[in-house]
Amino acid sequence: MSQKKKILIRIGSLRHGGAEKVLINFLKNLPENKYEIDLLINLYTGMYIKEVPSWVNLHYLLKGEMITTNKPNEIPVKAFRVLYQKMFLWFPWLLYRFVLKNKKYDVEIAAIHGMYKELLSSPQKDSKKIIWIQNDIFNLKEYTPDAIRQFFKFDKILVISNKLKEEMQKVAQSEKEKQAVIKIFNPIDKDDTLKKANTIINDYPFSDTTPTFITIGTVYPQKGYDRLLDVHKKLIDEGLKHQIIIIGDGFDFENIRTKLNDLSITETVKMLGFRDNPYPYLKKADFYIMSSRHEGFPTIIAEALILNKPIVSTDVSGIKDLLQDGKLGIITPNSETGIYEGMKKILNNQELADHYRKEIASAELPFVLQKSVAHLQEIIDNL
């Protein structure tokens, strides 16, 4: 029996979020007999804590709820937390001696790009280091060219879309650095999605046979729901009957609802707010519409493909990979006109919608859980 590889994985917390869900999906499906995994989280909190497999050793720096406000009584706690975490960044040997009990690791992984300094400060110079970029860092102000250069100190840089891979390789200064950038699909648990989609719901908002689009996501300006409502109104005025369901909440919720009322489209657009399980609604709808201005890796598109929904989406990061350059759905220019043309095209052409359903049904979907997990194992094993 060969020795198990000892791996340290670091992430901020296990709250609801894309990177956190991805990590849990991987951990649940890695073979226990091959790896010995220590998971270190800064703050012991979040809905995914209970989903960490029992064979994974869970360590944490602090316990308590995430503080997202600046109330005066919370400031001392926030300050203490920041200092406490900074101390381990300044004196990493303290962390490795007292929290991790002097364990030696073969591989250290930052499961989210924000942990890159923590990993690079590791006193274990012999361990192989991996960083996982889960967002379009080229659209985030804090990632200056100098900060992005730091990522090339890692042995492997995992990215979640071809667009990110191309951007990172442009920054690379040698062939070796280019080779270090690897695209890996975020894993989607197909069986879990299908099972959740079969749940019975009693509050589906439409009952007739009018074509229905659905969109799911936090109600932020980046999601472009304002553009979607304008396009909907225009199409309705032109006599193209259809309906839209919006699932999600967020700080823009009231603005979008006000706009809905102002445009007098409350009969044909329904905002359902947050749903723990949006998949039965997605299953019942005819099409998925994504009107986003930008995205990291839109997991919901992968889930819509699993449920065989024709998709109309703006050209955002990750979408060309997911829709196989337009083979599995309509990719529109990232504008209101683009969204309008895309929706009009699918509403006017029933055969096109059927064509996409057939293409999706017969496509090899690369983000299926088993494939992504096998790819990650291969990366770890070959280090």
Side-chain angles (χ1 to χ4, degrees), residues 1-15:
M1 172 74 195
S2 62
Q3 275 256 283
K4 286 186 186 181
K5 259 199 173 166
K6 292 182 174 58
I7 301 171
L8 174 67
I9 302 175
R10 297 199 59 178
I11 196 164
S13 75
L14 289 175
R15 290 174 81 224

Side-chain angles (χ1 to χ4, degrees), residues 21 47 83 95 122 187 189-190 202 211 220 274 281 323 348:
K21 185 179 182 181
M47 62 188 269
L83 273 173
L95 173 71
S122 165
D189 191 333
K190 185 178 177 178
N202 301 314
Y220 286 155
F274 177 76
Y281 305 89
L323 295 185
N348 274 330

Side-chain angles (χ1 to χ4, degrees), residues 261-275:
N261 291 323
D262 293 348
L263 290 172
S264 308
I265 48 177
T266 51
E267 286 305 302
T268 48
V269 179
K270 300 294 179 191
M271 293 181 76
L272 303 189
F274 177 76
R275 286 288 184 277

Side-chain angles (χ1 to χ4, degrees), residues 79-112:
F80 168 74
R81 283 182 182 177
V82 169
L83 273 173
Y84 189 74
Q85 289 174 36
K86 277 277 197 308
M87 174 183 76
F88 290 124
L89 198 52
W90 295 327
F91 307 107
W93 62 270
L94 287 171
L95 173 71
Y96 283 73
R97 181 181 295 176
F98 295 108
V99 180
L100 301 171
K101 313 290 184 223
N102 281 332
K103 193 182 219 176
K104 290 287 286 175
Y105 296 103
D106 301 302
V107 182
E108 295 186 72
I109 303 174
I112 197 159

